[in-house]
């Protein structure tokens, strides 16, 4: 989102009411560190804090254009899907134990019907945390499908690149599918119809 802005982003500017969120988040993080769980910022609402901080800065510095917001969100989803695909390649080539040794919070027992059937643990989505891979895949698939369906209105990514991201997200969703993501997909389908 920062890259889509035309003028320099001032990340140090924060609304005064947002300081309460920063203090609460810091206390939660401190509790986790003192409790022996380590520096685990992405749980206990840490991801919500980071995302809301980024969006606050984006809205605070200028009025965003719809095209820039869609392009920024598309870049975020594309990046997460590519990281997930790299993780899948590492897991299939036998490197999941190596990932677990390198990253203390990496879990090899996450649910994934397809991967578990072939003796692999589910993906973690290394940037999103444990058991998030299926949701990242599903949400990116839905996002890119909507952009592709209404391509006339949302020409922010080339049609070929968009189709590639739909196929990659669909394959990753099939591989990382869990009961929760299946329920979410059914809900999305019902909302669409």
């Amino acid at each position: 989102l920062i890259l889509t802005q035309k003028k320099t982003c001032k990340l140090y500017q924060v609304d005064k009411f947002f300081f309460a969120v920063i203090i609460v988040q810091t206390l939660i993080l401190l509790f986790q560190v003192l409790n022996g769980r380590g520096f685990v910022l992405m749980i206990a609402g840490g991801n919500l804090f980071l995302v809301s901080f980024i969006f606050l800065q984006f809205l605070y510095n200028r009025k965003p254009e719809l095209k820039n917001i869609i392009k920024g969100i598309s870049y975020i989803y594309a990046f997460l899907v590519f990281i997930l695909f790299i993780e899948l390649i590492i897991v299939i080539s036998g490197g999941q134990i190596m990932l677990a040794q390198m990253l203390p919070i990496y879990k090899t027992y996450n649910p994934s019907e397809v991967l578990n059937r072939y003796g692999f643990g589910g993906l973690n989505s290394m940037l999103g945390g444990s058991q998030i891979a299926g949701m990242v895949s599903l949400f990116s698939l839905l996002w890119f499908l909507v952009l592709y369906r209404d391509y006339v209105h949302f020409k922010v990514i080339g049609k070929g690149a968009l189709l590639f991201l739909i196929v990659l997200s669909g394959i990753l969703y099939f591989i990382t599918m869990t009961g929760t993501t299946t329920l979410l997909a059914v809900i999305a389908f019902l909302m669409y119809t």
Side-chain angles (χ1 to χ4, degrees), residues 70-85 136-148 151 156-173:
I70 292 171
K71 187 183 283 187
I73 293 172
S74 298
Y75 286 155
I76 290 170
Y77 273 126
F79 179 72
L80 291 173
V81 165
F82 282 123
I83 292 295
L84 199 58
F85 182 69
V136 167
S137 302
L138 174 63
F139 294 158
S140 64
L141 175 63
L142 295 174
W143 176 262
F144 293 128
L145 277 173
V146 168
L147 292 182
Y148 189 80
Y151 187 74
V156 294
I157 301 177
K159 205 165 188 178
L162 201 53
L163 191 57
F164 172 75
L165 289 168
I166 289 170
V167 170
L168 185 60
S169 298
I171 290 169
L172 287 170
Y173 171 65

Side-chain angles (χ1 to χ4, degrees), residues 73-138:
I73 293 172
S74 298
Y75 286 155
I76 290 170
Y77 273 126
F79 179 72
L80 291 173
V81 165
F82 282 123
I83 292 295
L84 199 58
F85 182 69
I86 291 169
E87 182 186 359
L88 175 65
I89 291 172
I90 292 171
V91 167
I92 289 176
S93 51
Q96 194 163 37
I97 302 300
M98 176 196 69
L99 288 174
Q101 291 170 347
M102 288 173 49
L103 305 167
I105 59 171
Y106 190 89
K107 297 176 183 171
T108 58
Y109 55 84
N110 283 338
S112 173
E113 300 299 326
V114 175
L115 288 176
N116 288 342
R117 180 172 291 277
Y118 294 103
F120 301 107
L123 302 181
N124 278 230
S125 179
M126 290 184 276
L127 293 177
S130 176
Q131 300 180 24
I132 303 297
M135 288 189 225
V136 167
S137 302
L138 174 63

